[in-house]
Amino acid sequence: LYVPNLIGYFRVICTLASLLLMMAYPDFWLLATLLYISSFVGDLFDGLVARKLNQTSTFGGLLDMVTDRCSTLGLLYVLGGDYAKVDEGIGFPVFRSLFLSLTLLDISSHWCQMYSTSALGKHHKSEEGNEGRSFLVRWFYKYYYFFGYCCVSAEFTYIFAYAIQFTEGNWYHPLLKVLLVLCVP
């Protein structure tokens, strides 16, 4: 029984439930947001538990990475649809173009990193696998705090962009706007 994979399956369920609620039942935006955050927080623990229990596996690593990508891309898809009304008011698909660009950047950068390091027979986070790459890539995988900041701030940028739509008129709406600006990596 691989405990980290159970955490991974929990993450998949939370992600699917959150995205379904976001698209089909927007009145449940708070529950959808909490489920999405639960999946995101689970990402912190699956790897830690895998190493602690000596239960690392190729499948677990793949499950983690695919869940990460599908979660982020699913939320960007939802945001593209939700902000289409704002784009209509502008007369140009500014937000849909932004969310599409972020989706393409996410897929292509992760694919290139995984492919190039696996072609070398190295792990995508290893120093050897990232030797000779741009300093940002080296920092991203070398300095855990920089890695954490980039990942957490990007996800919470998307989360706040989603939640802001539903909080107009509430006392915490301006706070969410400030947090959105502070989170942009």
Side-chain angles (χ1 to χ4, degrees), residues 14 17 35:
C14 286
L35 285 167

Side-chain angles (χ1 to χ4, degrees), residues 20-127:
L20 178 63
L21 287 171
M22 288 175 185
M23 291 185 303
Y25 303 99
D27 289 344
F28 292 99
W29 68 271
L30 183 57
L31 177 59
T33 303
L34 293 173
L35 285 167
Y36 189 89
I37 291 171
S38 296
S39 176
F40 182 67
V41 170
D43 186 33
L44 173 66
F45 293 105
D46 57 3
L48 293 172
V49 170
R51 288 183 290 281
K52 181 79 171 168
L53 298 178
N54 197 27
Q55 293 185 342
T56 58
S57 68
T58 302
F59 175 76
L62 182 63
L63 176 64
D64 178 56
M65 181 179 41
V66 169
T67 304
D68 291 347
R69 302 289 49 83
C70 289
S71 298
T72 300
L73 300 177
L75 183 52
L76 287 169
Y77 174 83
V78 168
L79 288 170
D82 287 353
Y83 279 79
K85 292 175 187 144
V86 177
D87 283 345
E88 287 173 12
I90 297 171
F92 186 80
V94 174
F95 286 103
R96 285 178 291 167
S97 297
L98 171 65
F99 296 130
L100 175 61
S101 298
L102 291 168
T103 298
L104 297 174
L105 176 63
D106 189 275
I107 292 171
S108 61
S109 63
H110 283 87
W111 186 85
C112 288
Q113 177 67 9
M114 291 301 296
Y115 180 79
S116 64
T117 54
S118 66
L120 295 171
K122 307 291 182 189
H123 190 275
H124 69 282
K125 293 182 182 177
S126 72
E127 226 171 292

Side-chain angles (χ1 to χ4, degrees), residues 122-177:
K122 307 291 182 189
H123 190 275
H124 69 282
K125 293 182 182 177
S126 72
E127 226 171 292
E128 301 84 33
N130 291 307
E131 189 176 322
R133 301 199 190 268
S134 87
F135 80 94
L136 281 177
V137 172
R138 290 194 317 269
W139 277 19
F140 187 75
Y141 290 111
K142 184 176 182 177
Y143 299 110
Y144 187 74
Y145 293 110
F146 183 63
F147 173 83
Y149 166 75
C150 290
C151 293
V152 171
S153 63
E155 285 298 320
F156 273 93
T157 297
Y158 307 149
I159 290 166
F160 290 137
Y162 172 73
I164 277 174
Q165 313 169 76
F166 305 100
T167 61
E168 189 78 40
N170 291 309
W171 66 267
Y172 49 87
H173 184 75
L175 176 63
L176 288 179
K177 284 184 156 185

